[in-house]
Amino acid sequence: MPNRSKRTLMAAARGSVMVFVIAALQLGRGASLTGLLPWTAGWAAIFAAVTWYTWWFYGDSPKALTLRARAEAKRLQRLGQ
């Protein structure tokens, strides 16, 4: 599986688990579904944006390649190589 797909699926899975856990905790505390929906929708939108950014960052666009190269250079500089 390509790195881009793997990282995007991991970001989506992480977001799904977090939204589920947040919803379960709120329901466990006695929240109603109408009170839970705005928060759950907000967190789902945030995690969807993170998933989209992950897909874009590991893509082939020139800007994404530049950002990845810059991040790699900083990482190598930090390691002292």
Side-chain angles (χ1 to χ4, degrees):
M1 179 182 290
N3 190 34
R4 181 183 193 186
S5 298
K6 191 183 319 181
R7 297 233 184 203
T8 302
L9 286 173
M10 286 301 298
R14 194 176 309 121
S16 299
V17 168
M18 289 299 297
V19 167
F20 177 76
V21 167
I22 290 168
L25 288 174
Q26 291 299 324
L27 285 174
R29 293 180 182 167
S32 65
L33 289 177
T34 56
L36 182 67
L37 184 62
W39 290 100
T40 305
W43 281 110
I46 289 170
F47 286 118
V50 168
T51 302
W52 173 83
Y53 180 76
T54 303
W55 177 260
W56 175 84
F57 185 78
Y58 288 102
D60 295 332
S61 74
K63 190 169 185 177
L65 292 173
T66 303
L67 284 173
R68 260 201 327 259
R70 191 178 309 153
E72 182 69 19
K74 282 184 180 179
R75 187 180 69 80
L76 288 175
Q77 184 181 22
R78 232 185 353 242
L79 293 175
Q81 295 180 353

